């Protein structure tokens, strides 16, 4: 490859493309390839997904009664961390809402918890005013009640961003440069294929059969057998694990929209 072409490649001169590599049944975990990009672009996308895509989370709790062993503050903290199914079309961020942040049905969701039976109080006991938006995992424990104890609280969930508090973050994202396998003179390709179930021999080269299952341990095996592994700076594999508030695919779509809006804002400011 000549220097000019390499420079162009490093500048992201190629057309950007994405392809879905794997997806779980619930749509909470996906991995996709991002090719012809740059490392700063990949990292910007990662940060937007984690910090900018908004979700619903409990922000205020009013206790009517709490005779459990846990203090109000601890229970409020636990309630804040319960992922709530979020409908991005029905709810606005308070600062972008027509109520100007005062609080209304378009930026807030009221929920009630009333528990008085002995045993563990689970997230499924929280009653939401919006049936679409309720705790994602019914069996998340909140506290334990002994005989005669009770817990009663009214909660307000609001839309927010992960950069303000991690309870609003919708997912965990990581990416890596696409692995490039370069066999050295004395490389033992057969040993590589034998020890890595996702590798096969294609002529005198190694080929990865399922990139979504590729990981560092395979890289170590290859290195031990004389194959140098480098990671591309323009092609990436993205993995997204949603905490449940939003589908992984919607998180990516929303992050792209946020990126676009920020660029539009920037262009306006320049003018
Ligand atoms: Zn509002």
């Amino acid at each position: 490859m000549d220097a000019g072409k390499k420079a162009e490649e490093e500048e992201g001169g190629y057309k950007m493309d994405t392809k879905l590599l794997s997806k779980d049944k619930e749509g909470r975990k996906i991995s996709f390839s991002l090719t012809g990009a740059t490392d700063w672009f990949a990292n910007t996308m990662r940060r937007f997904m984690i910090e900018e895509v908004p979700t619903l989370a409990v922000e205020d709790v009013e206790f009517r009664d709490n005779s459990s062993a846990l203090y109000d503050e601890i229970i409020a903290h636990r309630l804040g961390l319960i992922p709530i199914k979020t409908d991005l079309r029905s709810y606005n961020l308070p600062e972008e809402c027509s109520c100007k942040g005062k609080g209304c049905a378009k930026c807030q969701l009221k929920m009630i918890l009333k528990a008085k039976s002995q045993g563990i109080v689970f997230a499924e006991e929280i009653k939401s005013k919006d049936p679409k938006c309720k705790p994602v995992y019914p069996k998340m424990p909140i506290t334990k009640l002994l005989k005669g104890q009770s817990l009663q609280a009214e909660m307000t969930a609001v839309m927010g961003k992960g950069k303000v508090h991690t309870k609003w973050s919708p997912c965990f994202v990581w990416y890596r440069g696409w692995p490039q396998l370069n066999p050295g003179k004395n490389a033992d390709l057969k040993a590589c294929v034998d020890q890595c179930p996702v590798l096969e021999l294609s002529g005198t080269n190694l080929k990865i059969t399922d990139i979504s299952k590729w990981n560092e341990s395979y890289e170590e095996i290859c290195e031990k057998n004389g194959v140098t592994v480098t990671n591309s700076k323009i092609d990436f594999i993205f993995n997204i694990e949603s905490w449940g508030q939003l589908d992984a695919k919607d998180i990516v779509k929303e992050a792209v929209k946020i990126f676009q809006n920020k660029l539009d804002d920037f262009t306006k400011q320049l003018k």
Side-chain angles (χ1 to χ4, degrees):
M1 192 186 290
D2 66 57
K5 194 161 180 219
K6 191 154 195 294
E8 185 194 24
E9 190 178 303
E10 276 165 6
E11 289 294 315
Y14 290 132
K15 199 172 169 284
M16 219 184 276
D17 200 10
T18 59
K19 208 172 130 199
L20 188 69
L21 298 172
S22 70
K23 182 180 161 214
D24 74 343
K25 269 207 305 293
E26 290 125 347
R28 290 206 185 125
K29 279 189 204 174
I30 60 169
S31 56
F32 65 88
S33 65
L34 172 68
T35 50
T38 56
D39 43 7
W40 63 259
F41 181 85
N43 196 41
T44 306
M45 283 305 294
R46 181 189 70 86
R47 293 189 62 155
F48 278 170
M49 286 186 242
I50 293 173
E51 297 178 349
E52 293 277 344
V53 174
T55 66
L56 280 169
V58 170
E59 175 69 347
D60 285 306
V61 186
E62 242 186 86
F63 286 91
R64 303 263 183 260
D65 180 19
N66 175 21
S67 48
S68 78
L70 297 185
Y71 294 122
D72 292 1
E73 291 87 341
I74 298 174
I75 293 182
H77 181 244
R78 294 183 68 81
L79 293 170
L81 293 171
I82 292 176
I84 300 167
K85 189 86 196 153
T86 301
D87 177 9
L88 288 174
R89 277 168 305 175
S90 311
Y91 292 92
N92 304 321
L93 283 162
E95 60 267 30
E96 287 167 13
C97 190
S98 50
C99 71
K100 297 197 170 76
K102 279 192 210 117
C104 70
K106 278 187 277 177
C107 60
Q108 284 188 346
L109 171 62
K110 296 274 183 202
M111 298 198 268
I112 286 171
L113 173 62
K114 276 184 191 169
K116 56 180 179 196
S117 36
Q118 194 180 347
I120 294 171
V121 182
F122 290 106
E124 65 189 349
E125 289 170 61
I126 297 173
K127 298 281 167 279
S128 167
K129 289 265 157 78
D130 182 349
K132 293 195 300 302
C133 302
K134 55 179 188 184
V136 178
Y137 307 102
K139 290 294 175 202
M140 269 182 109
I142 296 167
T143 185
K144 196 172 176 180
L145 297 180
L146 299 178
K147 204 172 168 213
Q149 294 183 334
S150 65
L151 176 64
Q152 248 193 69
E154 201 182 301
M155 290 154 266
T156 310
V158 297
M159 291 289 274
K161 291 179 179 179
K163 68 176 175 187
V164 177
H165 192 295
T166 199
K167 67 182 176 183
W168 281 299
S169 184
C171 61
F172 178 52
V173 183
W174 73 101
Y175 64 84
R176 61 206 330 273
W178 198 282
Q180 292 154 329
L181 310 175
N182 317 297
K185 260 193 209 150
N186 303 316
D188 186 353
L189 300 186
K190 200 181 165 293
C192 292
V193 173
D194 286 347
Q195 293 168 56
C196 308
V198 294
L199 275 183
E200 66 178 24
L201 213 54
S202 133
T204 53
N205 260 316
L206 289 170
K207 200 180 138 206
I208 300 169
T209 52
D210 186 353
I211 194 76
S212 65
K213 295 206 170 73
W214 183 257
N215 61 40
E216 278 85 358
S217 65
Y218 296 145
E219 285 180 14
E220 243 171 63
I221 294 170
C222 288
E223 296 273 357
K224 265 186 207 149
N225 290 300
V227 178
T228 356
V229 184
T230 51
N231 290 94
S232 170
K233 286 189 163 45
I234 56 165
D235 299 330
F236 304 90
I237 306 154
F238 261 84
N239 297 283
I240 299 164
E241 250 183 69
S242 163
W243 301 132
Q245 304 100 314
L246 296 165
D247 283 351
K249 229 165 77 189
D250 291 338
I251 296 171
V252 184
K253 276 195 214 155
E254 193 63 19
V256 171
K257 214 161 88 188
I258 290 164
F259 200 174
Q260 189 67 53
N261 289 345
K262 280 194 191 287
L263 291 175
D264 288 348
D265 264 4
F266 183 60
T267 318
K268 253 187 241 156
Q269 300 278 344
L270 282 180
K271 278 176 187 158

